[in-house]
Amino acid sequence: MEEKEGLLMYLPHELRQDFHYLSLRSSLLEEISLLYGRPLAAGDRIGRICRCRRLVRDFLAAWQCQPDQPEYPYLLGVLLERAGQLALTDQPGRAYDQAEQYYDRARKLLQRQPPGSYSRQQYLRPLLALLRLSLRRRQEERFYAWWDHCGGLRRFHRDVQALFQVRWLIVKEDYDRAAFQLRDLHGLAGRKSAFSPVRARILSDIVTAALHGPGAALKGTYGPYVRQVLWDVLFPEKRDK
């Protein structure tokens, strides 16, 4: 495995294929899973379970050979988070507990690295993962505890705070306020914000769909399956009608 151009690491072809296979392959589906806690496994559950277990075994073996490398506990955390996210385990809560431990271990290992050996983006990955995991588990107090522990605005750009503010409003189904925050996003995030336009558009589409129903005009282009998942999550009482 090798580092290149600010990416955490480039995986060998076989591992990269398995990693992509375990991805939700849709940013909107990822946000739906994150915000509404819906497991979104799609077919071939046995194959996904086998690949997930194999990747965990491979990364544990690699980490044992290089115990000071923070990439391995971070990637193990990602795998365990996806295991719960994709319903690959009967105990998603336990998978999330383990993922948090691995992310925290990666954070501590990165703190030990020599200055300049890692980019800021790489350094922040496990910290952002810890915040995301608290959001996924609806642990708002835990989220703010990690926010303070990780340095808050001393470490994160304002766009990160903006992203999570909007997400928490959606979790609380305060869609009117979320829509207001999204309209004023640039002011909220800062004039030089790196807030992802794609992520902002996805959050905006979720809020628009929640406020105006399935006939609402969305900014993104989504297939019928993804649109139906969004509809089912927002209006479950109409799923069978």
Side-chain angles (χ1 to χ4, degrees):
M1 298 186 186
E2 56 186 83
E3 293 179 34
K4 188 175 181 181
E5 296 179 356
L7 296 177
L8 181 68
M9 62 162 48
Y10 268 137
L11 302 176
H13 178 69
E14 301 79 15
L15 291 181
R16 188 163 61 248
Q17 277 190 322
D18 284 344
F19 231 74
H20 289 170
Y21 179 74
L22 291 173
S23 171
L24 293 178
R25 299 175 181 271
S26 164
S27 296
L28 178 58
L29 285 180
E30 289 176 348
E31 285 293 334
I32 290 173
S33 175
L34 178 64
L35 299 173
Y36 296 97
R38 173 168 172 164
L40 295 171
D44 192 16
R45 188 169 184 267
I46 299 301
R48 289 177 181 271
I49 290 172
C50 290
R51 292 198 189 197
C52 189
R53 286 175 176 169
R54 185 167 67 250
L55 283 169
V56 168
R57 185 176 61 247
D58 290 344
F59 286 135
L60 281 171
W63 189 21
Q64 190 173 19
C65 295
Q66 294 181 292
D68 293 329
Q69 287 297 323
E71 292 91 345
Y72 299 120
Y74 171 76
L75 290 172
L76 283 164
V78 171
L79 282 172
L80 285 160
E81 186 175 349
R82 287 183 181 174
Q85 186 180 7
L86 292 168
L88 300 183
T89 172
D90 295 329
Q91 297 179 302
R94 186 168 181 269
Y96 293 151
D97 287 339
Q98 292 177 305
E100 181 173 352
Q101 292 171 10
Y102 281 126
Y103 288 145
D104 191 34
R105 180 61 176 164
R107 178 187 68 84
K108 291 175 180 176
L109 286 173
L110 277 164
Q111 288 180 330
R112 299 178 189 172
Q113 299 298 305
S117 62
Y118 275 78
S119 70
R120 176 177 172 80
Q121 179 184 4
Q122 292 167 332
Y123 184 82
L124 292 179
R125 279 178 186 262
L127 309 187
L128 290 171
L130 287 165
L131 297 178
R132 182 185 66 235
L133 199 57
S134 298
L135 176 64
R136 189 181 298 285
R137 304 184 74 177
R138 309 294 184 269
Q139 296 175 333
E140 191 166 6
E141 291 185 4
R142 184 67 169 158
F143 172 87
Y144 286 111
W146 273 120
W147 178 268
D148 292 338
H149 189 67
C150 294
L153 288 179
R154 296 196 307 275
R155 293 272 171 79
F156 301 115
H157 198 280
R158 290 180 183 176
D159 60 337
V160 176
Q161 185 179 29
L163 175 68
F164 280 106
Q165 280 184 324
V166 173
R167 281 171 165 169
W168 276 114
L169 288 169
I170 294 174
V171 166
K172 296 173 181 177
E173 299 185 7
D174 191 348
Y175 295 113
D176 289 320
R177 191 174 168 202
F180 175 81
Q181 295 281 46
L182 284 164
R183 284 195 297 269
D184 194 37
L185 188 61
H186 294 295
L188 178 66
R191 299 179 67 181
K192 295 183 179 180
S193 171
F195 191 98
S196 166
V198 173
R199 194 63 56 183
R201 184 180 67 236
I202 291 168
L203 294 175
S204 177
D205 281 344
I206 292 173
V207 171
T208 299
L211 290 174
H212 303 291
L218 304 183
K219 299 175 182 177
T221 302
Y222 313 109
Y225 170 74
V226 176
R227 283 178 172 266
Q228 188 60 48
V229 170
L230 178 60
W231 173 247
D232 290 346
V233 164
L234 292 174
F235 305 102
E237 70 278 2
K238 298 183 180 181
R239 186 178 304 168
D240 300 323
K241 294 182 181 180

